[in-house]
Amino acid sequence: MLLSIAVVSTDASERYGKQLLSHLGHKVRMEPLPDRPAPAGRLVFAYGVGTVLPMPGKLVLRATAANLESLTRLQDVLQRHLEKFGARRDLAVTWGPVETTPATDESA
């Protein structure tokens, strides 16, 4: 599995996390993370998994997929939607380097 992480600085991480999970959750399966407080969750796409983790002062996005094409597609979907929601605050998503991880549980 391939993994990439983006850390987005914002003082409204819970609001944006909830908005992203709610919006995309109407299109794909959304799973709350049992070990994290709401609104943390996982978005399960046919081609990968996006995890949304609101934290104080930042919103952490994790994208995991089996191949680079799928990972790039997932990153694009998460980034476009979040940047659209945060346009007034100039939210910018910058993905970190792609890492290889074991193909096991994709929890955060």
Side-chain angles (χ1 to χ4, degrees):
M1 294 296 288
L2 300 177
L3 164 71
S4 185
I5 297 173
V7 178
V8 182
S9 296
T10 176
D11 59 355
S13 62
E14 288 188 11
R15 184 180 103 197
Y16 288 123
K18 181 178 180 180
Q19 189 174 12
L20 188 61
L21 290 168
S22 176
H23 178 75
L24 292 175
H26 290 292
K27 301 168 195 248
V28 299
R29 188 172 82 235
M30 195 287 284
E31 302 171 348
L33 297 178
D35 58 334
R36 304 276 184 158
R42 182 180 300 125
L43 296 159
V44 182
F45 294 79
Y47 47 87
V49 177
T51 305
V52 180
L53 301 166
M55 298 181 174
K58 62 187 172 189
L59 182 62
V60 178
L61 303 176
R62 292 172 40 110
T64 57
N67 57 60
L68 190 56
E69 180 182 348
S70 296
L71 183 68
T72 301
R73 182 176 176 194
L74 180 57
Q75 288 173 316
D76 178 62
V77 169
L78 296 173
Q79 181 172 344
R80 275 187 298 112
H81 284 88
L82 183 59
E83 287 179 348
K84 180 179 176 185
F85 299 148
R88 287 188 173 177
R89 293 189 179 198
D90 293 324
L91 283 190
V93 176
T94 302
W95 291 96
V98 175
E99 303 172 23
T100 303
T101 64
T104 58
D105 181 25
E106 299 170 44
S107 63

